[in-house]
Amino acid sequence: MRLCADVGGSFVDIAAFDDAGAIGWRRKVPTPVGDWAAFVTVFADALAVTKGDRVSIATAGLVDPLSGIVTSANIRCIDGQVLADELARALGVPVRVVNDADAFVLAEAARGVAIGHDRVFGIILGTGVGGGLVERGRIVSGAGGIGGEWGHGQVVHESRIAPGANPVFPCGCGLVGCLDTIGSARGLERLHRFLHGVEAASIAITEGAKAGERRAAATVDYWCDLVGGPLAMLLHAVSATIVPVGGGLANATALIAELDGRVRANLLTPATAPIVVPGRLGEDAGLIGAFVAGA
Ligand SMILES: [Zn+2]
C-alpha cells in the first residue's frame, strides 16, 4: 500500500493507493506550514491507519533533482530541506518528492487527457503560471528542477513609441513583464484593470467574455495573444503535441478553447484537433501524479 499526498500551501490531500493505482482511504487536512513536527505527524498518522510502506509526495515548490532540496515560499517547514531524506528518516519508509506541476503533467499523461502522447507540456494557470514537460512518462526536470517552468522571463515590453501603453508589470521574481504577471488568474484581472480601469474577478471576466460583454471580451482577446504566442513558440521548441491545463483558469473552458485557437493559429504545422485542453483529472491530478512518479 502506497501513501500519496498533494501538499499545497493550504491543504494536504493524502490518500492510500493500492498496487493497481486505485484510491482507497483519503483525508484532507490543513497544511502545518510552519511546524515540521506536525507535518511529520500528518504522514505518520496516515501510515499507521493505512499500513502503508512507502510515501510519494507532490508539493508546491521546486525540487532540485541532484540535491533533493525543496524550495517552497509558502510551506516554510519544508523550505530548504532535503524533504525526501528528512521525511524518510522520520517515518522509517522510502519517500519520493516531486513538484506539483510536474505531478499534474505526469498524471494527465498516464491517466488523463494526454494518454498516448509521447511528449506532453502541461501548464498551470492558477495563482501563478507553472508548467512541466513529460517525455514518455518521465519528468524532464532540468537543472535545479526548473524544467517546464515557463512563467518567468520578459514577454511584455514597454512601447518605444508610446511609453505606458503596454501592460508591463513587476513580477514577484524580481523581473518585469513576465508571463506570470499576465497569464495567472490575478494576471487576467490585472490586465483587465490596465485596459479598462475597473476591478473584476477572473471568473467575472471569463464569464463576461463568454456572454459577449465588450470589455471582458477585449481583455480575454489580449490575454490569449500574450499567453498564446509564447506557448506556440514553446511547443515548437519542445515538440510537445498536447498541453493539458490545470489550475483555476482550467475551469474556464471557453477561455481555454480561445487560447487553443490562438495557439493553433501560431503553429507551423496545422493541427486539426484541440491541443490546449483542460486536464481531465481535476483535484485528483496531484495525488495520481505522485503515485505515477513512484517511490
Ligand atoms: Zn517573473
Side-chain angles (χ1 to χ4, degrees):
M1 190 69 83
R2 174 125 48 101
L3 202 61
C4 296
D6 187 358
V7 178
S10 303
F11 291 97
V12 178
D13 193 0
I14 189 164
F17 281 67
D18 65 22
D19 290 340
I23 297 178
W25 177 93
R26 184 169 181 174
R27 183 173 293 172
K28 202 168 184 178
V29 298
T31 306
V33 287
D35 185 344
W36 171 250
F39 188 84
V40 172
T41 301
V42 169
F43 292 89
D45 288 353
L47 283 171
V49 173
T50 61
K51 313 285 181 226
D53 57 5
R54 285 170 294 166
V55 174
S56 298
I57 295 174
T59 188
L62 291 176
V63 184
D64 188 304
L66 289 179
S67 66
I69 290 175
V70 170
T71 306
S72 176
N74 297 330
I75 310 165
R76 297 189 308 280
C77 73
I78 65 171
D79 185 40
Q81 286 219 51
V82 182
L83 180 59
D85 291 358
E86 292 297 325
L87 207 50
R89 212 177 345 263
L91 299 171
V93 298
V95 177
R96 171 95 200 262
V97 177
V98 294
N99 167 263
D100 57 358
D102 289 340
F104 164 78
V105 191
L106 272 180
E108 292 292 341
R111 293 203 202 168
V113 78
I115 289 175
H117 290 263
D118 270 358
R119 210 171 287 185
V120 182
F121 184 68
I123 63 175
I124 307 292
L125 302 175
T127 46
V129 174
L133 178 63
V134 164
E135 185 173 39
R136 296 192 177 154
R138 297 181 69 90
I139 299 165
V140 179
S141 8
I146 60 167
E149 291 294 338
W150 70 305
H152 301 280
Q154 190 166 7
V155 297
V156 189
H157 293 261
E158 193 56 80
S159 167
R160 262 66 162 183
I161 300 157
N166 292 348
V168 184
F169 305 117
C171 183
C173 74
L175 298 171
V176 295
C178 288
L179 187 65
D180 197 274
T181 67
I182 295 285
S184 62
R186 295 297 85 77
L188 183 67
E189 294 164 357
R190 206 175 278 130
L191 183 61
H192 191 73
R193 192 185 312 125
F194 179 85
L195 291 175
H196 312 296
V198 293
E199 300 287 335
S202 60
I203 189 158
I205 299 167
T206 56
E207 288 295 313
K210 198 164 77 175
E213 198 269 303
R214 187 183 53 81
R215 290 189 297 191
T219 301
V220 164
D221 180 56
Y222 197 0
W223 184 89
C224 285
D225 272 353
L226 292 172
V227 179
L231 185 50
M233 194 180 72
L234 249 166
L235 292 185
H236 288 140
V238 302
S239 297
T241 50
I242 190 160
V243 181
V245 186
L249 290 180
N251 298 318
T253 50
L255 175 79
I256 302 305
E258 191 164 340
L259 176 62
D260 174 62
R262 205 65 53 93
V263 168
R264 285 160 64 187
N266 277 283
L267 292 180
L268 295 174
T269 312
T272 51
I275 289 177
V276 184
V277 289
R280 191 185 289 158
L281 301 171
E283 295 223 321
D284 294 344
L287 282 176
I288 292 172
F291 176 80
V292 174

